[in-house]
Amino acid sequence: MNSKNIYTSFRKAKKAKQKKFAILIDPDKLILKEVDQLVKLATLAQVDFFFLGGSLVVNNQLDAIIESIKAQTSIPVVLFPGSSRQLSYKADALLFLSLISGRNADLLIGKHVESAPFLKISPLEIISTGYILVDGGVPTSVSYMSNTFPIPADKNSIAVCTAMAGEMLGMKLIYMDAGSGAMNPINTTMVQDVATAIDIPLIVGGGIRSPQKALELTKAGADVIVIGNAIEKDLSLLSEVAAAIKSF
Ligand code: 1GP
């Protein structure tokens, strides 16, 4: 996929009620030699996106992983950065995340100001994304690293108002996340309420471990399902989840 049309593909899919599946790769956890197998399976299963990012990213494999993916497949690579240092010109797009569920000014706008000049001259498609952290039953790295509280799991109205505000501020996507490795994925009722309240595409991730859960959240209104941990542990899940999402 050419750069600059990834957001259009999100919008078109939403309009056509086609659901998308993204695999999250944490460059700290995946070693380069595992990439080939993952990409092969993802291509066969017609996965829609690779999201790349993690809370820390302590190694410098980001560019190498992207190059390796791109050598083998045309599945777009979208950066999902845990910090402003996790940027690479080699990806297709960047989710320009503003942590709108939190009240940490740096993650609402500060880091964005710092990275703006770099992004302005980059070839990346920049997609403004309202990032909403929801309590997934365990403290997550993103909550700790961002020094923010997630929205309580049963406070649907807070999530709805947060997502609506993000849309009204001009954000192009909403990403609801229970955090990587969450014990509980986001409630289907919360996803349903948020999906009903906004018109922009809705990404949902965090703690999804089964095709059934992926389908349930898809039916509730998620436009894109993101899975990281569970696929890292069991690659066979990849094709089952892809089939479940596409069966919608
Ligand atoms: C985390 O939404 C992603 O930001 C994916 O979470 O690793 O728990 O699938 P998991």
Side-chain angles (χ1 to χ4, degrees):
M1 183 174 296
N2 295 328
S3 108
K4 310 287 180 203
N5 58 14
I6 288 172
Y7 184 64
T8 308
S9 78
F10 277 110
R11 293 255 20 162
K12 275 191 186 155
K14 183 174 175 67
K15 208 170 161 199
K17 295 192 170 28
Q18 276 168 4
K19 305 297 183 168
K20 300 273 181 186
F21 177 28
I23 293 181
L24 175 65
I25 296 177
D26 182 338
D28 278 339
K29 292 189 190 153
L30 193 78
I31 47 173
L32 209 49
K33 65 178 188 330
E34 292 169 345
V35 174
D36 288 6
Q37 175 70 351
L38 180 68
V39 172
K40 208 165 113 189
L41 290 173
T43 308
L44 276 174
Q46 297 182 313
V47 165
D48 299 290
F49 304 102
F50 285 112
F51 283 5
L52 250 84
S55 290
L56 281 173
V57 184
V58 289
N59 63 35
N60 58 1
Q61 286 198 128
L62 191 60
D63 279 354
I65 288 178
I66 298 173
E67 273 173 357
S68 176
I69 294 172
K70 295 215 151 283
Q72 298 173 69
T73 186
S74 58
I75 298 173
V77 175
V78 178
L79 298 174
F80 169 54
S83 81
S84 48
R85 287 180 298 104
Q86 293 173 27
L87 298 173
S88 167
Y89 275 14
K90 296 184 189 294
D92 297 294
L94 167 92
L95 299 184
F96 201 37
L97 303 165
S98 182
L99 182 53
I100 57 176
S101 58
R103 299 297 179 265
N104 177 337
D106 245 5
L107 301 178
L108 281 163
I109 181 67
K111 296 293 177 195
H112 311 71
V113 174
E114 286 171 22
S115 52
F118 175 89
L119 295 176
K120 182 77 181 171
I121 55 164
S122 88
L124 296 166
E125 178 181 351
I126 312 294
I127 307 175
S128 166
T129 304
Y131 186 54
I132 299 179
L133 197 56
V134 178
D135 189 13
V138 283
T140 54
S141 304
V142 58
S143 176
Y144 179 81
M145 295 302 288
S146 65
N147 200 16
T148 66
F149 292 116
I151 295 176
D154 58 347
K155 302 293 182 207
N156 294 17
S157 56
I158 300 180
V160 166
C161 295
T162 307
M164 287 195 311
E167 181 174 36
M168 288 171 190
L169 281 166
M171 288 162 182
K172 292 176 165 176
L173 294 173
I174 294 293
Y175 189 147
M176 294 173 77
D177 198 353
S180 199
M183 192 163 69
N184 313 314
I186 299 176
N187 279 325
T188 43
T189 63
M190 184 182 270
V191 170
Q192 205 162 24
D193 290 352
V194 169
T196 310
I198 58 171
D199 293 317
I200 51 179
L202 176 62
I203 304 174
V204 175
I208 302 171
R209 295 184 183 82
S210 68
Q212 294 77 5
K213 182 50 80 177
L215 183 60
E216 201 181 293
L217 292 166
T218 298
K219 285 181 177 162
D223 297 298
V224 183
I225 294 288
V226 186
I227 303 187
N229 264 280
I231 286 174
E232 273 163 29
K233 287 187 189 132
D234 177 9
L235 274 182
S236 69
L237 197 64
L238 195 157
S239 56
E240 292 169 31
V241 172
I245 293 172
K246 307 285 170 189
S247 77
F248 174 79

